[in-house]
């Protein structure tokens, strides 16, 4: 099994594959490097492939009729995308764009369906992954509906940091688009959080210095 196949077999989606199945997975997937700014698909385009992000960051987002961008999620390595169009939806409902140089594995609809017939648990894991993303999107939608900008942004920072205290590689514009506001507003809120000694701000780096205090703001 080569490097690509080993990488894929360590993902939750393809765990427990036999060596033979791993070799088949290697055969039916292609790997390509893409530059920052590449748009993989747009709303209303047919979904014919599954994308697996090996390196880099990909954003899923929508554009309002007024031209305002709302980021649905930012995907990190080992994430998959494009799956909704393969689960009966047929058409994509978001944009998917590389926001850094990326390495992508691609699998066709026909090959994915054949793999699912051989390994039904792959379909179950895909549903689990999609379900987690939907729950996250629902949480963000609730924030948009019921919380002000400081609470939304604090909640986002906590979610992005996870178990660490670092958020790397995102600009103020990126954060603004993820909470549905303008860059100037996001910058003002971040500076306020900094003045309250809840966070520190560097170049494309935010450090949480008072997690409990940030949680209080997020829940306000």
């Amino acid at each position: 099994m080569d490097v690509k196949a080993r990488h894929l077999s360590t993902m939750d989606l393809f765990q427990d594959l036999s060596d033979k199945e791993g070799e088949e997975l290697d055969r039916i997937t292609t790997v390509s490097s893409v530059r920052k700014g590449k748009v993989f698909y747009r709303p209303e385009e047919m979904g014919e492939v599954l994308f697996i992000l090996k390196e880099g960051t990909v954003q899923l987002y929508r554009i309002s009729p007024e031209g305002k961008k709302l980021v649905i999620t930012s995907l990190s390595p080992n994430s998959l995308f494009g799956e909704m169009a393969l689960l009966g939806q047929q058409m994509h409902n978001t944009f998917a764009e590389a926001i850094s140089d990326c390495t992508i594995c691609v699998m066709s609809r026909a090959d994915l369906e054949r793999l699912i017939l051989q390994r039904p648990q792959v379909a179950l894991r895909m549903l689990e992954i999609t379900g987690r993303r939907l729950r996250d999107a629902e949480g963000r939608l609730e924030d948009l509906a019921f919380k002000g900008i400081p609470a939304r942004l604090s909640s986002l920072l906590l979610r992005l940091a996870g178990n660490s205290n670092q958020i790397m590689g995102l600009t103020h514009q990126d954060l603004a688009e993820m909470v549905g506001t303008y860059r100037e507003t996001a910058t003002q809120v971040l500076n306020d959080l900094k003045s309250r000694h809840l966070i520190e701000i560097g170049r494309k780096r935010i450090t949480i210095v008072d997690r409990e205090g940030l949680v209080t703001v997020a829940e306000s």
Side-chain angles (χ1 to χ4, degrees):
M1 197 183 301
D2 70 6
V3 173
K4 178 181 70 174
R6 284 197 299 273
H7 167 75
L8 292 171
S9 66
T10 60
M11 295 181 62
D12 288 345
L13 185 63
F14 302 120
Q15 64 183 356
D16 302 327
L17 295 183
S18 66
D19 287 346
K20 183 177 180 180
E21 289 167 331
E23 291 171 0
E24 175 64 10
L25 183 64
D26 180 48
R27 187 189 67 80
I28 64 179
T29 55
T30 58
V31 177
S32 61
S33 297
V34 299
R35 305 290 291 178
K36 176 181 177 180
K38 165 73 174 179
V39 176
F40 298 97
Y41 54 76
R42 294 173 169 81
E44 306 307 317
E45 290 184 350
M46 289 291 293
E48 296 297 334
V49 297
L50 175 72
F51 297 94
I52 303 163
L53 180 59
K54 185 176 180 182
E55 296 176 353
T57 306
V58 169
Q59 275 188 353
L60 305 185
Y61 62 89
R62 296 184 182 181
I63 300 292
S64 73
E66 297 78 24
K68 188 175 182 180
K69 179 180 177 182
L70 178 63
V71 175
I72 305 302
T73 190
S74 291
L75 303 175
S76 55
N78 293 329
S79 299
L80 57 89
F81 60 102
E83 79 283 359
M84 291 300 291
L86 302 179
L87 296 175
Q89 186 171 306
Q90 301 299 315
M91 309 289 282
H92 293 294
N93 61 2
T94 61
F95 293 86
E97 180 179 342
I99 62 170
S100 67
D101 292 345
C102 295
T103 302
I104 302 288
C105 298
V106 181
M107 182 184 301
S108 72
R109 174 194 290 271
D111 286 330
L112 179 62
E113 289 175 349
R114 189 158 48 247
L115 178 62
I116 286 172
L117 288 175
Q118 297 170 356
R119 282 278 192 163
Q121 63 267 40
V122 170
L124 295 176
R125 290 170 186 153
M126 185 178 295
L127 289 173
E128 290 172 2
I129 292 168
T130 303
R132 288 197 297 268
R133 189 177 299 161
L134 287 174
R135 286 193 296 273
D136 180 67
E138 288 171 355
R140 292 184 57 207
L141 180 61
E142 184 176 345
D143 286 350
L144 286 171
F146 300 117
K147 292 183 177 181
I149 302 300
R152 282 189 234 166
L153 195 49
S154 298
S155 180
L156 174 65
L157 294 177
L158 290 164
R159 188 162 56 245
L160 291 174
N163 295 325
S164 74
N165 288 319
Q166 297 280 335
I167 300 99
M168 305 289 290
L170 294 175
T171 66
H172 291 192
Q173 181 67 39
D174 294 329
L175 295 171
E177 290 169 349
M178 295 173 80
V179 296
T181 190
Y182 297 101
R183 181 186 60 78
E184 294 81 4
T185 304
T187 297
Q188 181 179 353
V189 171
L190 289 169
N191 286 336
D192 179 61
L193 295 175
K194 179 182 177 181
S195 70
R196 296 165 64 180
H197 306 292
L198 301 179
I199 64 173
E200 288 294 337
I201 302 174
R203 181 174 176 79
K204 288 192 176 182
R205 183 182 74 252
I206 295 175
T207 304
I208 297 174
V209 296
D210 183 353
R211 181 173 287 269
E212 289 185 5
L214 202 61
V215 168
T216 299
V217 176
E219 294 177 347
S220 62

